[in-house]
Amino acid sequence: MSLIISNTHCRMYLLFFTLFLCFSGVQAAVKAQDEAPPADSKEETQKAAPEPVVEDTEWDNVTVEFKEAKLTSGGTLTLKFKYSNSGSDPIDISRVGKFDHDDVIEHVYFVDTANNKKYLVVKDTEGKPLGTNLKYFVLGAGESKNAWAKFPAPPEGVETITIYLPGAPPIEDVAIVK
């Protein structure tokens, strides 16, 4: 008895074999996907940013919104915040406090309460603070001004700090974002 396979049979076997391989591959991919931990989206892999803290200041109609304390490269910590004037008149913040046209950013600091240490803004080689220039700081009616400042990072293991922004009460137990 001789074994003769026609072209039609050969094509059918090839089609069934191809379908078998495709189906097996799909099943393996589905199984691997089911067993693999869920893929993190970009938003999930980054720590959720803390909710901003808004505080009234000692100046009428002016609030400050603290946004973030984030560890950055080079052993620094960046603080981000925003002053807003909800009043109908401009306010010269550099003159209403004890600043006498100083750069207001020089009066921002934080305290590492775990080690009872105060950190001042980092300055460049010319003695200028690394941060937003808030010298002659005037907020017009209805205006806001975003600002940032760089500080030396606290020691490893410090997870919360207290922020001091000019005119505002202390913002306590601020989590450091890494």
Side-chain angles (χ1 to χ4, degrees), residues 98-166:
K98 57 185 176 270
F99 313 115
D100 195 31
H101 290 300
D102 284 351
D103 191 341
V104 174
I105 208 77
E106 290 188 51
H107 299 276
V108 175
Y109 62 95
F110 78 88
V111 173
D112 160 10
T113 53
N115 296 302
N116 207 20
K117 184 173 180 186
K118 179 179 179 179
Y119 290 80
L120 304 176
V121 68
V122 172
K123 294 187 178 182
D124 66 14
T125 55
E126 296 174 1
K128 295 179 183 173
L130 292 181
T132 304
N133 182 355
L134 297 179
K135 192 168 187 163
Y136 302 105
F137 182 27
V138 177
L139 270 178
E143 282 187 342
S144 293
K145 173 80 172 174
N146 286 308
W148 61 273
K150 287 252 185 214
F151 297 85
E156 188 73 32
V158 174
E159 296 180 7
T160 61
I161 56 177
T162 298
I163 310 293
Y164 293 86
L165 300 171

